[in-house]
Amino acid sequence: SGQHRVLRATAQLLAPVGDPEKVICVGLNYHDHCQEQGVKVPKEPLIFSKFPSSITGPYDDIVHPQDTSELDWEVELAAVIGKRGRHIEEAAALEHVLGFTVANDVSARDWQMRRNGRQWLLGKTFDTFCPLGPALVTKEAVADVHNLWIRCSVNGHRMQDSNTRHLIFGVPALVAWVSRFVTLVPGDILLTGTPAGVGVFRKPPVFLKRGDEVQCEIEELGTICNRVV
């Protein structure tokens, strides 16, 4: 009817999926990201997780924990599950995907790489470590999810600039793989990995500090922008 519209400037956008059952993540899933750290391309997807409590809105602040001095960015394509499934065949995997959105897999590298027994969970799952948005774009509205430019800038400086065609394991392969281990349910979020250009592997390393602004964007999906506080 048009009677219930509000001005965009007067509304605060929340994450398009705010309380999923699972946030499933994939490591080392871009060829250029493997190259920048000098590791072999994985033969199987490397799976880890973030707690849903890490999710925050597309323009909300990222809180810099006092417990880390190595805060890093990772722009990622996120797929959102729309149909329940287990042991999903790769050929039918996209039938279980509702759509896509932009994510920032914020990471505390000291906790990820050296502390907590080198398990990745704690370094990945502080509150506000998963900005998400700005919208959930249905898969029918995306021409080719495996051919989208994907970028991240910090304070206006381009840090990551790649394309989803460089994914090692595409969305159908990831959905099929994960469903071998867990039942995927509507609302589950699958972060598909980040390309080259993260701070920890720069020479010298570059980490986020309070006051920095991180912008993550993916072609056809939109842009999220978060200030570190």
Side-chain angles (χ1 to χ4, degrees):
S1 66
Q3 296 177 7
H4 303 287
R5 295 182 180 180
V6 297
L7 293 175
R8 170 67 190 88
T10 67
Q12 177 190 4
L13 286 186
L14 305 179
V17 182
D19 189 24
E21 182 178 289
K22 296 184 284 295
V23 181
I24 303 161
C25 309
V26 187
L28 299 176
N29 198 32
Y30 277 80
H31 289 279
D32 53 5
H33 186 46
C34 292
Q35 291 170 359
E36 75 173 341
Q37 53 190 297
V39 298
K40 294 181 179 179
V41 172
K43 296 182 179 180
E44 297 174 338
L46 176 60
I47 304 298
F48 62 99
S49 182
K50 297 167 88 82
F51 291 134
S53 54
S54 66
I55 293 174
T56 193
Y59 308 112
D60 292 342
D61 293 337
I62 297 168
V63 177
H64 192 309
Q66 294 181 348
D67 296 291
T68 183
S69 58
E70 298 182 0
L71 193 66
D72 208 347
W73 59 84
E74 292 192 7
V75 61
E76 305 210 6
L77 167 72
V80 180
I81 299 299
K83 178 182 175 183
R84 183 184 183 94
R86 179 87 196 274
H87 299 297
I88 300 167
E89 295 293 334
E90 186 172 335
L94 283 180
E95 298 175 14
H96 293 261
V97 174
L98 176 63
F100 305 97
T101 193
V102 183
N104 185 354
D105 178 18
V106 183
S107 306
R109 298 301 189 188
D110 38 6
W111 283 94
Q112 177 192 359
M113 296 179 170
R114 297 189 301 278
R115 304 187 65 177
N116 194 42
R118 299 185 187 179
Q119 296 187 68
W120 289 12
L121 177 65
L122 287 185
K124 294 284 191 173
T125 204
F126 284 90
D127 289 354
T128 74
F129 270 27
C130 190
L132 205 64
L136 174 56
V137 181
T138 59
K139 64 174 182 267
E140 292 80 9
V142 180
D144 181 2
V145 74
H146 298 108
N147 188 22
L148 303 173
W149 53 253
I150 177 170
R151 297 169 179 162
C152 177
S153 299
V154 178
N155 300 327
H157 299 286
R158 185 68 51 79
M159 296 297 190
Q160 294 179 277
D161 192 349
S162 190
N163 191 289
T164 57
R165 66 174 174 266
H166 299 305
L167 282 165
I168 297 166
F169 301 101
V171 174
L174 293 174
V175 170
W177 176 261
V178 172
S179 74
R180 291 172 56 175
F181 305 93
V182 297
T183 300
L184 294 173
V185 300
D188 282 351
I189 298 171
L190 176 61
L191 273 61
T192 59
T194 198
V198 297
V200 69
F201 297 120
R202 292 180 173 269
K203 297 180 181 179
V206 177
F207 296 113
L208 294 169
K209 60 186 183 301
R210 291 175 181 86
D212 286 345
E213 187 175 85
V214 186
Q215 181 171 293
C216 297
E217 53 183 330
I218 301 178
E219 184 180 5
E220 299 185 29
L221 303 185
T223 302
I224 63 176
C225 189
N226 308 90
R227 182 170 293 276
V228 181
V229 299

